[in-house]
Amino acid sequence: MQTDSLLKRNGLSVTESRKKILQLFLEGSGALAHGDIEKKAGEKFDRVTVYRTLQTFVDKGIIHTIPSADNSIRYALCKDECSEGHHHDHHIHFECSICHTTYCLDDVVTPQINLPKGYVAGHVEVVVEGVCKNCK
Amino acid sequence: MQTDSLLKRNGLSVTESRKKILQLFLEGSGALAHGDIEKKAGEKFDRVTVYRTLQTFVDKGIIHTIPSADNSIRYALCKDECSEGHHHDHHIHFECSICHTTYCLDDVVTPQINLPKGYVAGHVEVVVEGVCKNCK
DNA sequence: GTAACTGCAAAATATTTGCATCCTT
DNA sequence: AAGGATGCAAATATTTTGCAGTTAC
């Protein structure tokens, strides 16, 4: 199973909740918020387990957070280059204003930004809001 | 007073809390989170008033939100072109990873993003994380 | 004087922590 | 068997809502 190997590769024990939550990310196209996961997972897991599992996955570099302006952080699978402590996330994110799906556009690289004198750029986050291909 | 005219211009009555909160934005260089405002305003205002005032300012286009990846939205003053319902926010945001100040870099325009076929871009948000001029 | 704004209380929601139990390795 | 993961209970923290009293215009 894809979930099992992904977990093992990251030194995590293979448990029901981790498999299920990882499965949700693998089968869906969009990013998921904490609430989405609770809903999709049904009543199977404790709310606390979802919090802890998401945090574990972020720590291990399996998923990453997508910034938002509405206090509801979404999470999405990292690509393979991500590893613990070193998250290489050079793609942009797209939020559909109609269906509210958030996508990782892995093929669109974050642009170079020219900062004013004195500022040193590290990581660049780009979130584009608009209409996705399904809602057009 | 600058605060008074800014409030009047937006059709808001001039009250102590609105003046005080607006003042905090005008005198500070960085963006403010809800918690920052509570702290800086001292014990003067009820927590609920801060929530409502921020929401009112956002609705009127006086301030705008800055997305974040840590569930703590920050707010910053809009430039003059912003108006109710129509927020024109073409600048990028910068978060210092040392002092954790968030700046609006008004002179840095958001780049053009080439989206995959089928996606229609609306608003583009760019948040750069790095080291600011004061912390270098 | 009237409409809008504020503070207080309380409800609703979200997140974190401790601990005993259960599961994975 | 041992360490880690989970569920439950409860502590915290955050945000929203209703309402009565106060303030701005």
Side-chain angles (χ1 to χ4, degrees), chain A residues 114-133:
Chain A
N114 288 314
L115 296 174
K117 232 183 159 64
Y119 291 87
V120 180
H123 183 71
V124 178
E125 275 290 347
V126 177
V127 181
V128 179
E129 167 272 323
V131 181
C132 78
K133 55 186 194 303

Side-chain angles (χ1 to χ4, degrees), chain B residues 40-66:
Chain B
K40 295 207 182 195
E43 304 298 315
K44 289 206 65 170
F45 308 110
D46 193 89
R47 173 188 292 263
V48 176
T49 300
V50 176
Y51 279 110
R52 289 196 272 225
T53 303
L54 288 174
Q55 189 55 56
T56 301
F57 286 176
V58 169
D59 292 345
K60 290 292 181 178
I62 299 173
I63 60 177
H64 62 272
T65 57
I66 301 171

Side-chain angles (χ1 to χ4, degrees), chain B:
Chain B
M1 254 168 152
Q2 196 177 355
T3 52
D4 294 34
S5 68
L6 194 43
L7 290 169
K8 282 177 189 159
R9 195 192 316 155
N10 283 282
L12 296 173
S13 44
V14 178
T15 66
E16 279 308 306
S17 53
R18 286 175 179 170
K19 279 199 288 190
K20 177 64 179 172
I21 292 174
L22 204 41
Q23 191 62 41
L24 292 176
F25 281 108
L26 287 165
E27 69 199 14
S29 53
L32 299 172
H34 175 95
D36 299 328
I37 292 165
E38 274 193 70
K39 286 189 205 83
K40 295 207 182 195
E43 304 298 315
K44 289 206 65 170
F45 308 110
D46 193 89
R47 173 188 292 263
V48 176
T49 300
V50 176
Y51 279 110
R52 289 196 272 225
T53 303
L54 288 174
Q55 189 55 56
T56 301
F57 286 176
V58 169
D59 292 345
K60 290 292 181 178
I62 299 173
I63 60 177
H64 62 272
T65 57
I66 301 171
S68 85
D70 69 343
N71 267 336
S72 72
I73 293 193
R74 289 170 183 281
Y75 301 86
L77 276 181
C78 289
K79 298 177 72 178
D80 296 335
E81 311 95 66
C82 295
S83 61
E84 187 163 4
H86 257 61
H87 177 56
H88 304 291
D89 181 18
H90 294 315
H91 62 273
I92 74 161
H93 296 109
F94 185 92
E95 273 189 44
C96 179
S97 48
I98 296 177
C99 66
H100 298 104
T101 304
T102 301
Y103 304 88
C104 292
L105 298 183
D106 293 313
D107 300 329
V108 184
V109 168
T110 55
Q112 194 69 38
I113 307 280
N114 288 315
L115 295 173
K117 234 183 157 65
Y119 290 87
V120 180
H123 183 73
V124 178
E125 276 289 348
V126 177
V127 181
V128 179
E129 168 271 322
V131 182
C132 78
K133 55 186 192 306
N134 297 325
C135 291
K136 236 190 4 174

Side-chain angles (χ1 to χ4, degrees), chain A residues 31 34 72 79 85 93 96 110 112 118:
Chain A
H34 175 97
S72 73
K79 298 176 72 179
H93 296 109
C96 179
T110 54
Q112 194 69 38

Side-chain angles (χ1 to χ4, degrees), chain A residues 8 10 15 17 34 36 43-45 52 64 71 81 85 87 93 98 102 106 127 129:
Chain A
K8 281 177 190 158
N10 284 282
T15 66
S17 52
H34 175 97
D36 298 330
E43 305 298 315
K44 290 205 65 171
F45 307 111
R52 289 196 271 224
H64 63 272
N71 266 337
E81 312 94 66
H87 177 54
H93 296 109
I98 296 176
T102 301
D106 293 313
V127 181
E129 167 272 323

